[in-house]
Amino acid sequence: MTQKNTEDPSSQKNDSDCGCGCETGCRIEAVLSVDERGQMVLPKDVREKAGIRTGDKLALISWEKNGSICCLALMKADNLSCMVKDILGPLLNEQDRS
C-alpha cells in the first residue's frame, strides 16, 4: 500500500529556508562589543559559517517583553523576503481565486 502525501505544499522548505524553529537549539556564537558609534564586528568564522559576504543585507529582528527589547537576531534579508513570500503567497493566490 502506498502512502499518500498529505503535507501542505506551502509548508515545504525551499533552498533559502534555514530550518530554524522552536525545535532547533540556539547557541552563543560570539560575544560582541559595541563601540562609541554603535558599531559591532561579526567575527570572520561566524560570517563564513553564515555565508555573509561584503554587501549582504541583514535584517535585525527584535522581541519585546514588558515594553523593552529583550532579544535581537540577525537574518539575511534575502531569506526574510523568501519567508514573507512563502507565507503571503498562498494568501494572495486565495484572493486571486475569489
Side-chain angles (χ1 to χ4, degrees), residues 21-39:
C22 296
E23 65 281 350
T24 61
C26 294
R27 68 174 193 232
I28 297 172
E29 288 289 340
V31 176
L32 309 177
S33 296
V34 179
D35 70 14
E36 64 278 350
R37 294 186 300 172
Q39 296 179 332

Side-chain angles (χ1 to χ4, degrees), residues 3-23:
Q3 191 172 11
K4 200 176 195 181
N5 184 0
T6 58
E7 186 175 325
D8 179 3
S10 65
S11 68
Q12 292 178 349
K13 295 183 186 310
N14 61 35
D15 290 340
S16 66
D17 190 3
C18 67
C20 293
C22 296
E23 65 281 350

Side-chain angles (χ1 to χ4, degrees), residues 51-96:
I52 298 170
R53 293 182 176 77
T54 301
D56 284 351
K57 303 287 184 195
L58 301 177
L60 178 63
I61 301 154
S62 66
W63 287 265
E64 193 172 306
K65 184 177 182 181
N66 299 327
S68 295
I69 293 176
C70 60
C71 297
L72 297 171
L74 292 174
M75 175 184 280
K76 284 186 173 181
D78 290 343
N79 290 351
L80 183 62
S81 64
C82 288
M83 289 172 60
V84 170
K85 288 177 190 172
D86 289 346
I87 293 167
L88 294 181
L91 296 174
L92 294 174
N93 289 337
E94 284 180 20
Q95 288 180 353
D96 290 344

